[in-house]
Protein backbone atom coordinates (compact mmCIF):
# COMPACT_ATOMS: atom_id res chain seq x y z
CA UNK A 1 0.00 0.00 0.00
CA UNK A 2 1.34 3.41 -0.98
CA UNK A 3 0.64 6.36 1.27
CA UNK A 4 -0.20 9.78 -0.24
CA UNK A 5 2.84 11.49 -1.78
CA UNK A 6 4.96 8.45 -0.90
CA UNK A 7 6.67 8.44 -4.30
CA UNK A 8 10.29 8.18 -3.15
CA UNK A 9 10.88 11.37 -5.08
CA UNK A 10 11.00 15.14 -4.87
CA UNK A 11 7.37 15.74 -3.85
CA UNK A 12 7.49 13.58 -0.72
CA UNK A 13 10.91 14.91 0.30
CA UNK A 14 9.90 18.53 -0.26
CA UNK A 15 6.70 18.16 1.75
CA UNK A 16 8.51 16.41 4.60
CA UNK A 17 11.21 19.08 4.60
CA UNK A 18 8.70 21.94 4.75
CA UNK A 19 6.78 20.34 7.60
CA UNK A 20 9.98 19.49 9.47
CA UNK A 21 11.32 23.01 9.07
CA UNK A 22 8.01 24.48 10.23
CA UNK A 23 8.11 22.41 13.41
CA UNK A 24 11.77 23.24 14.08
CA UNK A 25 11.23 26.98 13.66
CA UNK A 26 8.15 27.02 15.87
CA UNK A 27 10.07 25.07 18.51
CA UNK A 28 12.73 27.80 18.46
CA UNK A 29 15.43 25.56 17.03
CA UNK A 30 16.38 28.09 14.39
CA UNK A 31 18.30 29.93 17.12
CA UNK A 32 21.77 28.79 18.16
CA UNK A 33 21.13 30.11 21.66
CA UNK A 34 18.18 27.78 22.06
CA UNK A 35 20.20 24.81 20.94
CA UNK A 36 23.33 25.44 22.99
CA UNK A 37 21.09 25.79 26.04
CA UNK A 38 20.67 22.02 25.89
CA UNK A 39 24.41 21.51 26.33
CA UNK A 40 24.41 23.93 29.26
CA UNK A 41 21.45 21.96 30.72
CA UNK A 42 19.54 25.23 31.06
CA UNK A 43 17.02 24.55 28.27
CA UNK A 44 15.77 21.03 27.58
CA UNK A 45 13.54 21.94 24.65
CA UNK A 46 15.71 19.98 22.20
CA UNK A 47 15.45 16.79 24.24
CA UNK A 48 11.73 17.22 24.85
CA UNK A 49 10.75 17.97 21.26
CA UNK A 50 13.03 15.46 19.55
CA UNK A 51 12.39 12.62 22.00
CA UNK A 52 8.65 13.21 21.69
CA UNK A 53 9.01 12.99 17.92
CA UNK A 54 10.90 9.70 18.26
CA UNK A 55 8.20 8.23 20.52
CA UNK A 56 5.32 9.38 18.30
CA UNK A 57 7.04 7.99 15.20
CA UNK A 58 7.89 4.67 16.86
CA UNK A 59 4.41 4.13 18.25
CA UNK A 60 2.83 5.28 14.99
CA UNK A 61 4.88 2.87 12.87
CA UNK A 62 4.12 0.02 15.26
CA UNK A 63 0.37 0.69 15.13
CA UNK A 64 0.40 1.04 11.35
CA UNK A 65 2.09 -2.34 11.09
CA UNK A 66 -0.42 -3.91 13.50
CA UNK A 67 -3.38 -2.78 11.40
CA UNK A 68 -1.70 -3.73 8.15
CA UNK A 69 -1.28 -0.26 6.65
CA UNK A 70 2.49 -0.71 6.37
CA UNK A 71 4.79 -3.71 6.50
CA UNK A 72 8.10 -4.14 8.29
CA UNK A 73 9.79 -4.49 4.90
CA UNK A 74 8.57 -1.00 3.94
CA UNK A 75 10.69 0.65 6.64
CA UNK A 76 14.32 1.39 5.83
CA UNK A 77 16.62 0.20 8.60
CA UNK A 78 20.28 1.05 8.05
CA UNK A 79 23.06 -1.37 8.85
CA UNK A 80 25.07 -0.08 11.83
CA UNK A 81 28.82 0.39 11.62
CA UNK A 82 29.77 0.99 15.23
CA UNK A 83 33.16 2.68 14.85
CA UNK A 84 31.79 5.08 12.24
CA UNK A 85 28.78 5.78 14.47
CA UNK A 86 31.01 6.48 17.49
CA UNK A 87 33.40 8.82 15.66
CA UNK A 88 30.61 10.49 13.73
CA UNK A 89 28.58 10.99 16.90
CA UNK A 90 31.50 12.69 18.62
CA UNK A 91 32.16 14.97 15.63
CA UNK A 92 28.56 16.01 15.06
CA UNK A 93 28.10 16.49 18.80
CA UNK A 94 31.14 18.75 18.93
CA UNK A 95 29.91 20.71 15.90
CA UNK A 96 26.48 21.01 17.46
CA UNK A 97 27.90 22.33 20.73
CA UNK A 98 30.34 24.76 19.11
CA UNK A 99 28.19 26.02 16.25
CA UNK A 100 24.78 25.71 17.88
CA UNK A 101 23.25 24.02 14.85
CA UNK A 102 22.81 20.64 13.23
CA UNK A 103 22.26 20.26 9.45
CA UNK A 104 18.47 20.61 9.70
CA UNK A 105 18.36 23.48 12.15
CA UNK A 106 21.04 25.39 10.22
CA UNK A 107 18.75 25.38 7.16
CA UNK A 108 15.90 26.64 9.34
CA UNK A 109 18.15 29.34 10.80
CA UNK A 110 19.22 30.44 7.32
CA UNK A 111 15.59 30.64 6.20
CA UNK A 112 15.00 32.87 9.23
CA UNK A 113 17.76 35.25 8.12
CA UNK A 114 20.42 34.27 10.67
CA UNK A 115 23.95 34.91 9.45
CA UNK A 116 25.59 32.43 11.82
CA UNK A 117 23.49 29.68 10.25
CA UNK A 118 24.95 30.56 6.83
CA UNK A 119 28.46 30.33 8.25
CA UNK A 120 27.61 26.95 9.76
CA UNK A 121 26.27 25.67 6.43
CA UNK A 122 29.40 26.81 4.61
CA UNK A 123 31.51 24.95 7.15
CA UNK A 124 29.32 21.89 6.69
CA UNK A 125 29.80 22.01 2.91
CA UNK A 126 33.58 22.28 3.33
CA UNK A 127 33.57 19.42 5.82
CA UNK A 128 31.54 17.25 3.46
CA UNK A 129 34.00 17.94 0.64
CA UNK A 130 36.95 17.04 2.88
CA UNK A 131 35.21 13.85 3.97
CA UNK A 132 34.60 12.84 0.35
CA UNK A 133 38.24 13.55 -0.52
CA UNK A 134 39.68 11.43 2.31
CA UNK A 135 37.04 8.69 2.24
CA UNK A 136 39.24 6.16 0.37
CA UNK A 137 41.76 6.47 3.20
CA UNK A 138 39.29 6.15 6.08
CA UNK A 139 36.97 3.62 4.42
CA UNK A 140 38.36 0.67 6.46
CA UNK A 141 37.43 2.53 9.67
CA UNK A 142 34.08 3.55 8.20
CA UNK A 143 33.08 -0.04 7.43
CA UNK A 144 34.61 -1.64 10.55
CA UNK A 145 32.58 -3.29 13.30
CA UNK A 146 29.51 -3.94 11.17
CA UNK A 147 26.36 -4.87 13.05
CA UNK A 148 23.49 -7.09 12.02
CA UNK A 149 21.50 -5.99 8.99
CA UNK A 150 17.98 -4.65 9.59
CA UNK A 151 18.12 -5.48 13.29
CA UNK A 152 15.75 -3.59 15.58
CA UNK A 153 15.93 -3.22 19.36
CA UNK A 154 13.23 -5.80 19.99
CA UNK A 155 15.15 -8.29 17.86
CA UNK A 156 18.42 -7.42 19.59
CA UNK A 157 17.04 -7.97 23.09
CA UNK A 158 14.57 -10.70 22.15
CA UNK A 159 11.50 -8.96 23.59
CA UNK A 160 8.17 -7.81 22.11
CA UNK A 161 8.09 -4.43 20.42
CA UNK A 162 5.73 -2.96 23.02
CA UNK A 163 8.32 -3.60 25.74
CA UNK A 164 10.83 -1.44 23.90
CA UNK A 165 8.19 1.26 23.43
CA UNK A 166 7.33 1.24 27.13
CA UNK A 167 11.03 1.49 28.00
CA UNK A 168 11.44 4.46 25.65
CA UNK A 169 8.44 6.21 27.16
CA UNK A 170 9.92 5.65 30.63
CA UNK A 171 13.24 7.16 29.51
CA UNK A 172 11.39 10.12 28.02
CA UNK A 173 9.41 10.68 31.22
CA UNK A 174 12.57 10.52 33.31
CA UNK A 175 14.28 12.97 30.97
CA UNK A 176 11.34 15.35 31.14
CA UNK A 177 11.39 15.31 34.94
CA UNK A 178 15.15 15.74 35.14
CA UNK A 179 15.17 18.48 32.52
CA UNK A 180 12.36 20.46 34.12
CA UNK A 181 14.02 20.20 37.53
CA UNK A 182 17.38 21.40 36.20
CA UNK A 183 15.74 24.23 34.27
CA UNK A 184 14.04 25.49 37.42
CA UNK A 185 17.22 25.24 39.50
CA UNK A 186 19.38 27.03 36.95
CA UNK A 187 16.75 29.74 36.43
CA UNK A 188 16.46 30.24 40.20
CA UNK A 189 20.24 30.45 40.56
CA UNK A 190 20.38 33.08 37.84
CA UNK A 191 17.64 35.11 39.48
CA UNK A 192 19.47 34.97 42.80
CA UNK A 193 22.68 36.07 41.13
CA UNK A 194 20.96 38.97 39.37
CA UNK A 195 19.25 40.04 42.60
CA UNK A 196 22.48 40.10 44.62
CA UNK A 197 23.76 43.69 44.75
CA UNK A 198 27.31 44.24 43.69
CA UNK A 199 29.66 44.78 46.59
CA UNK A 200 30.89 48.32 46.98
CA UNK A 201 34.67 48.72 46.54
CA UNK A 202 36.58 48.97 49.78
CA UNK A 203 37.41 52.49 50.88
CA UNK A 204 40.99 53.44 50.27
CA UNK A 205 43.12 54.13 53.28
CA UNK A 206 43.82 57.81 53.86
Amino acid sequence: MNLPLYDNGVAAGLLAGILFGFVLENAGFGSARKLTGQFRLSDWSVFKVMFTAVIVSAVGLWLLQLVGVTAFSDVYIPTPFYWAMAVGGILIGAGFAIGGYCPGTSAVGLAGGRGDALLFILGMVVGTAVFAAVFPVIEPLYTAAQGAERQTLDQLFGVPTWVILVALVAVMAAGFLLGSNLERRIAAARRNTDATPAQAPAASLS
Side-chain angles (χ1 to χ4, degrees), residues 93-120:
F96 205 155
I98 295 171
Y101 292 105
C102 70
T105 55
S106 64
V108 174
L110 180 61
R114 296 177 174 90
D116 57 341
L118 174 60
L119 182 62
F120 187 92

Side-chain angles (χ1 to χ4, degrees), residues 13-108:
L14 181 61
L15 176 61
I18 292 173
L19 294 175
F20 186 53
F22 176 81
V23 172
L24 290 180
E25 177 62 26
N26 279 272
F29 294 171
S31 170
R33 293 182 178 180
K34 187 78 169 179
L35 299 171
T36 52
Q38 179 66 68
F39 291 93
R40 295 194 299 268
L41 304 180
S42 60
D43 190 334
W44 282 64
S45 298
V46 174
F47 175 88
K48 294 175 181 178
V49 171
M50 301 308 284
F51 215 116
T52 300
V54 169
I55 296 298
V56 171
S57 299
V59 173
L61 284 173
W62 179 58
L63 292 176
L64 288 174
Q65 291 177 17
L66 285 181
V67 299
V69 176
T70 61
F72 179 76
S73 58
D74 294 333
V75 180
Y76 172 70
I77 302 175
T79 300
F81 294 91
Y82 294 111
W83 277 113
M85 291 166 60
V87 176
I90 292 172
L91 291 177
I92 195 171
F96 205 155
I98 295 171
Y101 292 105
C102 70
T105 55
S106 64
V108 174

Side-chain angles (χ1 to χ4, degrees), residues 114-130:
R114 296 177 174 90
D116 57 341
L118 174 60
L119 182 62
F120 187 92
I121 291 176
L122 293 176
M124 185 170 57
V125 171
V126 172
T128 302
V130 172

Side-chain angles (χ1 to χ4, degrees), residues 83 142 158 167 182 189 203:
W83 277 113
Y142 187 90
L182 286 175

